[in-house]
């Protein structure tokens, strides 16, 4: 219906903020817990240091709230103006309820809707896409979108878990989405994908209700488990089965195919090409992955933004943190064409093309 189409509004990022804990943890610092080296970590991942939240004072939600306060202020509004919250994380404060409602409470917002997104590394781009649809249809006018993680609380710091623990860091990023008065400005399109065939390649099985149903290498023997012990048991903790698990090479192989694909898809959907792109902001999974993607797409250095060296992989927070930092450094100007792209556990992958 053409009349309906005319009513659709483009969503623009009206304010952006980020928060990282002050506690810097270098590769050298990790050596007190595990057998690793600065050389190994930098060579394989590009990471030099990451931030860890204060163990007792900072949570995924509190970091998200700090980033949100900055985004709200930069959008020139107050928390009372926010009419919807979308929160992406894989490390929520509670198993349930989600972090969205905790943000609603912390910022003393009106009784607005709050939605949590569980798409790991792609979480922020998925969240942005959801928010974009609500703005386009005119349902909401000021949507707060947050990506935040507190990994330091749930990874294995012994040598056993070193292939994962050295990669991840804590932090948060947030944006406020508003309708744009200029249809040429804002989120041009978003593209979401998944392939659940590889769900267990990068996953945290426990606590969960799987009862070994999906997990090939049994993570617990439930035969003797008492009623109520199957969700989280002493045995799981004793065998370190409460930590994430990852087949790193398999993730790498899939990521270097799906990242370029979803970026090209976004450009093609808007009749644009790599040459039109001012800045690609990839999810900060691993510097080697980002460099592979850059090479494959023949992007110049100034067309790709990376900051994983300082923050590690902050999963759902990595894209908004990188976007915010690039903007703060003056690397994003009005009218620039940006592509946000992410790939991660699920597998899920996604992109968003934005005219700033
Ligand atoms: N320090 C020192 N040695 C280590 C460490 C460490 N932190 N971690 C693993 N090793 C050792 C292993 O024990 C192994 O030793 P061995 O040969 O004696 O058995 C050796 O290094 C190689 O181990 P691999 O796991 O095969 O290491 P790989 O070379 O594949 O590198 C890595 C691991 C960096 C994870 C790599 O697979 C990778 O980049 N994968 C992409 C996945 C990724 O980036 N994930 C990020 C999160 S997911 C996402 O955001 C999309």
């Amino acid at each position: 219906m053409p009349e309906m189409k005319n009513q659709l509004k483009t969503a623009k990022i009206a304010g952006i903020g980020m928060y990282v804990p002050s506690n810097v943890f270098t590769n050298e610092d990790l050596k007190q817990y595990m057998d690793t080296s600065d050389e190994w970590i930098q060579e394989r991942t590009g990471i030099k240091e990451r931030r860890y939240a204060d163990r007792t004072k900072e949570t995924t939600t509190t970091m998200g709230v700090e980033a949100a306060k900055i985004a709200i202020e930069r959008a020139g509004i107050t928390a009372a103006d926010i009419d919807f919250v979308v929160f992406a994380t894989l490390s929520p404060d509670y198993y349930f309820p989600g972090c969205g409602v905790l943000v609603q409470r912390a910022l003393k917002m009106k009784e607005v809707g709050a939605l949590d997104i569980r798409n790991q590394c792609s979480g922020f781009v998925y969240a942005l896409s959801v928010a974009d649809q609500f703005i386009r249809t005119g349902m909401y006018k000021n949507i707060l979108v947050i990506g935040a993680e507190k990994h330091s609380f749930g990874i294995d710091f012994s040598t056993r878990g070193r292939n994962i623990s050295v990669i991840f860091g804590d932090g948060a990023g947030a944006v406020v989405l508003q309708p744009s008065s200029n249809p040429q400005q804002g989120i041009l399109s978003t593209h979401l994908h998944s392939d659940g065939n590889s769900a267990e390649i990068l996953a945290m099985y426990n606590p969960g209700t799987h009862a070994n149903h999906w997990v090939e290498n049994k993570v617990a023997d439930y035969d003797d488990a008492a009623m109520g012990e199957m969700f989280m048991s002493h045995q799981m903790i004793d065998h370190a089965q409460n930590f994430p698990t990852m087949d790193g090479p398999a993730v790498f192989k899939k990521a270097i195919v799906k990242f370029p694909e979803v970026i090209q898809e976004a450009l093609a959907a808007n009749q644009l090409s790599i040459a039109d792109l001012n800045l690609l902001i990839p999810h900060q999974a691993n510097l080697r992955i980002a460099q592979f993607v850059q090479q494959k797409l023949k992007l110049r250095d100034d067309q790709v933004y990376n900051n994983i060296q300082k923050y590690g992989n902050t999963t759902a927070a990595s894209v908004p943190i990188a976007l915010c930092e690039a903007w703060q450094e003056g690397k994003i100007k009005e009218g620039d064409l940006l592509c946000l792209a992410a790939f991660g556990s699920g597998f899920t992958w996604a992109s968003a093309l934005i005219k700033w």
Side-chain angles (χ1 to χ4, degrees):
M1 286 192 296
E3 313 83 71
M4 182 72 177
K5 209 173 173 195
N6 289 340
Q7 289 165 13
L8 296 181
K9 287 266 187 192
T10 310
K12 67 167 186 195
I13 293 177
I16 182 160
M18 63 178 271
Y19 175 84
V20 288
S22 56
N23 180 21
V24 176
F25 223 77
T26 65
N27 294 342
E28 263 331 290
D29 293 331
L30 286 170
K31 284 166 69 177
Q32 60 187 293
Y33 299 102
M34 62 188 79
D35 180 11
T36 189
S37 68
D38 178 50
E39 193 192 2
W40 193 98
I41 300 170
Q42 284 212 50
E43 200 179 291
R44 310 285 172 115
T45 70
I47 299 165
K48 294 183 172 151
E49 58 191 40
R50 73 285 294 140
R51 304 295 180 95
Y52 287 158
D54 183 292
R55 288 168 64 83
T56 56
K57 295 192 186 75
E58 290 176 314
T59 72
T60 296
T61 299
T62 68
M63 290 187 283
V65 163
E66 290 310 312
K69 283 181 187 164
I70 299 168
I72 289 169
E73 196 190 333
R74 284 177 175 165
I77 58 170
T78 70
D81 299 312
I82 297 293
D83 44 20
F84 195 60
V85 180
V86 191
F87 199 119
T89 187
L90 65 73
S91 51
D93 294 32
Y94 304 136
Y95 192 82
F96 71 85
C99 294
V101 298
L102 303 180
V103 169
Q104 184 275 340
R105 176 173 72 185
L107 290 176
K108 299 185 173 55
M109 291 175 182
K110 289 178 289 193
E111 293 175 347
V112 299
L115 174 71
D116 278 61
I117 299 265
R118 296 194 48 176
N119 283 74
Q120 298 69 248
C121 303
S122 311
F124 182 79
V125 184
Y126 264 75
L128 199 68
S129 178
V130 169
D132 180 39
Q133 311 314 311
F134 281 125
I135 297 279
R136 279 176 187 267
T137 56
M139 185 155 169
Y140 296 122
K141 299 214 160 23
N142 288 298
I143 304 184
L144 177 61
V145 185
I146 300 174
E149 304 286 4
K150 183 175 172 179
H151 287 302
S152 57
F153 230 51
I155 41 182
D156 184 354
F157 278 96
S158 72
T159 296
R160 182 184 49 207
R162 64 184 176 174
N163 69 318
I164 295 184
S165 50
V166 300
I167 295 176
F168 294 100
D170 302 341
V175 300
V176 171
L177 273 200
Q178 288 178 349
S180 171
S181 49
N182 174 1
Q184 311 302 325
Q185 183 198 33
I187 300 173
L188 304 181
S189 63
T190 56
H191 307 269
L192 312 178
H193 295 281
S194 73
D195 175 5
N197 286 310
S198 306
E200 285 76 23
I201 277 181
L202 174 51
M204 185 168 139
Y205 309 131
N206 301 308
T209 61
H210 56 82
N212 289 336
H213 188 63
W214 303 100
V215 183
E216 232 172 72
N217 301 314
K218 282 196 165 194
V219 293
D221 183 356
Y222 292 109
D223 290 349
D224 299 325
M227 203 61 184
E229 258 194 14
M230 292 170 78
F231 188 63
M232 176 54 85
S233 67
H234 290 288
Q235 190 203 11
M236 286 173 194
I237 294 167
D238 292 345
H239 293 90
Q241 290 159 340
N242 54 320
F243 292 120
T245 161
M246 173 174 79
D247 176 347
V251 174
F252 198 101
K253 275 188 208 140
K254 189 93 170 181
I256 58 169
V257 173
K258 293 302 170 189
F259 260 115
E261 251 181 44
V262 81
I263 294 162
Q264 294 279 24
E265 180 186 349
L267 289 166
N270 293 278
Q271 291 85 47
L272 293 164
S273 71
I274 287 291
D276 298 307
L277 200 58
N278 295 100
L279 199 60
L280 167 68
I281 299 190
H283 157 54
Q284 301 293 293
N286 179 321
L287 193 59
R288 303 293 160 251
I289 292 176
Q291 287 169 338
F292 225 95
V293 173
Q294 177 178 347
Q295 225 176 6
K296 196 157 176 183
L297 296 177
K298 299 190 173 55
L299 287 158
R300 299 183 309 271
D301 285 351
D302 65 291
Q303 285 178 295
V304 187
Y305 189 82
N306 288 304
N307 61 5
I308 191 170
Q309 301 90 331
K310 291 190 287 180
Y311 304 125
N313 179 336
T314 57
T315 53
S318 95
V319 168
I321 288 176
L323 180 65
C324 185
E325 204 162 75
W327 178 77
Q328 287 174 175
E329 289 171 5
K331 295 198 163 106
I332 301 173
K333 308 242 166 18
E334 198 172 327
D336 277 358
L337 184 70
L338 314 182
C339 186
L340 314 183
F343 174 88
S345 161
F347 292 127
T348 63
W349 59 102
S351 62
L353 204 63
I354 302 175
K355 191 87 171 160
W356 196 260

